[in-house]
Amino acid sequence: MRRRASSRPKAYRSPRPRWAYRLRRGVLAVVLLLLATTTWSIVGALRAPGDDAASVKLAEWARDHYLGPVVTLAENVQYKLNPPVTGGAPDSSELAAAAKEGPAQPSPSGPAGTSLVARQPAIVPPVSPALPGEGVYVPVVKSTKGDLVQFTYVRPDSVHTSYLTGVAWMSHTLKFVLHPGFQDPGLTGMSQPDLIGPSQMPALAATFNGGFKLKDAQGGYFDNGHTVGSLTGGAASLVIYKDGHATVGTWGKDVAMTPDVTFVRQNLKPLVSNGQVADNLDANVESTWGATIGGALAVWRSGIGVTATGDLVYAMGDAMSVSDLADVLHRAGAVTAMQLDINQAWVSYLWYSHTGATAVPHKLGKFQRPADRYLNDTSRDFVAVYLP
């Protein structure tokens, strides 16, 4: 039986207006342009020189492009999945060399009865009783003037007892130079390169990381008349003078601009001042002492201080709170001390032995970065230490 043809008229679809096609093409073009620009920017960040890991470069790119909360969220998840271990004992191999040293001896005599730089007395560790070798200094950089760089290890607190904080003592007779990073603070106007060159290696004694990125440091950076940011009153400041000696002080109180100042690196507020640990270290940790991983307290941290005799002490380690860092620096003799950079990607201290004109780097502790970090282009500022 034949079906009767439908008498219902076919629906008529009016053609899409020409402006709608143009709008869609325009939106698509904008999206493609944004994707291409973003991809080009990310590729440029990944291809930047230096030994920053790809994950570090991506995280820094994201923070510089308003994606900081996303990075912090990812870091927070990672931290919660792998929090610092509590209890336990540290790797004794790092304490083995110190355990063989024994107590420090009186200062030896040099030529014509002069006193050489002697090994420093042991630090009283934060955790008692001390492990064999804990807090005992080991000389690692020596010259005709004595033991110029010495290091030791201590446990940071009574909770994270399987971790060791490295402490480096540096004689006031050493010469210090502040080097910029090619990204922060940048090389424009700077007197130094972003790496240790071959001509500088024969006298190289040590290197260590600088502070936060300047946009987060609450202070400035000064290099022989060129300033990035603003030197800020009350800021904790590492100051280096024309003769190469360095100190740590509060800007406008202990230290200030003079014709003899060649370098200044500011970072936050002092951890230790007038021989006393600051009383606000556990308050507003993330906003006051830096955006750690997810706001966590116990992370990789580093700091630098000056002793009453003008020597410098540096401390670095994992699973440290701000209070832990200040306490260790204070125990090492710092009368003024400041926090430097934090988090695993940025903390590093190296001392150097020499084979001919080649400087051979050695790590203080088990930090993430390769030992030749500062012998290559570096994205962040750092301090180089030279024999007198």
Side-chain angles (χ1 to χ4, degrees):
M1 183 176 177
R2 296 182 68 184
R3 296 193 178 193
R4 299 176 62 183
S6 174
S7 59
R8 297 176 59 184
K10 293 183 179 180
Y12 176 75
R13 182 176 296 174
S14 61
R16 186 183 299 270
R18 183 170 296 179
W19 64 263
Y21 286 106
R22 290 176 177 172
L23 177 62
R24 185 172 66 179
R25 285 198 300 267
V27 170
L28 180 60
V30 170
V31 170
L32 291 175
L33 179 61
L34 289 174
L35 286 174
T37 303
T38 301
T39 301
W40 180 261
S41 178
I42 291 175
V43 170
L46 291 174
R47 295 180 64 184
D51 59 16
D52 295 355
S55 58
V56 173
K57 292 178 179 179
L58 284 174
E60 290 298 293
W61 179 90
R63 291 190 188 279
D64 290 339
H65 291 79
Y66 310 103
L67 295 175
V70 177
V71 177
T72 299
L73 176 62
E75 291 176 337
N76 193 28
V77 171
Q78 184 181 27
Y79 184 87
K80 288 182 178 180
L81 292 174
N82 299 281
V85 177
T86 59
D91 180 0
S92 61
S93 65
E94 292 184 291
L95 297 172
K100 297 177 183 178
E101 286 290 329
Q105 301 298 317
S107 300
S109 295
T114 59
S115 181
L116 300 180
V117 177
R119 188 153 54 90
Q120 298 301 296
I123 298 173
V124 177
V127 184
S128 183
L131 298 172
E134 187 177 11
V136 177
Y137 278 106
V138 176
V140 290
V141 177
K142 304 181 180 184
S143 79
T144 56
K145 295 188 176 183
D147 300 328
L148 301 184
V149 178
Q150 306 171 32
F151 73 79
T152 187
Y153 296 99
V154 295
R155 290 166 291 174
D157 55 41
S158 59
V159 176
H160 304 98
T161 52
S162 63
Y163 297 87
L164 289 173
T165 295
V167 179
W169 176 93
M170 293 168 282
S171 169
H172 66 275
T173 63
L174 291 160
K175 308 301 181 185
F176 296 79
V177 175
L178 181 62
H179 287 258
F182 65 81
Q183 287 182 341
D184 200 81
L187 298 176
T188 302
M190 300 301 179
S191 67
Q192 300 298 317
D194 63 345
L195 79 169
I196 302 297
S199 64
Q200 298 166 304
M201 289 188 186
L204 185 62
T207 49
F208 58 88
N209 59 276
F212 289 6
K213 296 184 76 170
L214 285 179
K215 66 182 182 65
D216 303 317
Q218 301 173 25
Y221 183 110
F222 176 83
D223 178 345
N224 289 279
H226 178 69
T227 304
V228 180
S230 177
L231 296 180
T232 304
S237 306
L238 173 64
V239 182
I240 302 173
Y241 297 87
K242 285 183 178 179
D243 64 1
H245 87 275
T247 192
V248 178
T250 303
W251 194 255
K253 177 184 175 184
D254 309 313
V255 289
M257 184 56 64
T258 70
D260 289 334
V261 171
T262 54
F263 301 101
V264 180
R265 180 48 155 112
Q266 297 186 322
N267 202 58
L268 309 179
K269 302 296 182 183
L271 298 176
V272 180
S273 183
N274 295 324
Q276 301 295 316
V277 174
D279 58 7
N280 64 335
L281 299 183
D282 294 324
N284 302 316
V285 171
E286 188 169 1
S287 60
T288 305
W289 304 107
T292 61
I293 298 173
L297 292 177
V299 296
W300 278 92
R301 295 185 188 273
S302 64
I304 186 80
V306 64
T307 70
T309 54
D311 306 308
L312 293 190
V313 285
Y314 172 99
M316 55 150 281
D318 193 5
M320 297 187 77
S321 68
V322 184
S323 294
D324 292 338
L325 178 61
D327 179 54
V328 169
L329 288 167
H330 188 241
R331 288 172 181 270
V335 293
T336 306
M338 60 188 286
Q339 182 174 262
L340 294 175
D341 221 337
I342 62 175
N343 293 338
Q344 186 177 15
W346 304 114
V347 174
S348 55
Y349 184 101
L350 301 121
W351 59 273
Y352 297 82
S353 59
H354 293 83
T355 302
T358 302
V360 181
H362 306 270
K363 289 185 175 185
L364 175 69
K366 298 177 180 178
F367 54 85
Q368 181 186 67
R369 288 306 184 94
D372 63 352
R373 175 182 183 185
Y374 299 119
L375 306 183
N376 299 288
D377 292 304
T378 306
S379 62
R380 298 277 191 94
D381 61 284
F382 68 97
V383 177
V385 187
Y386 297 94
L387 297 174

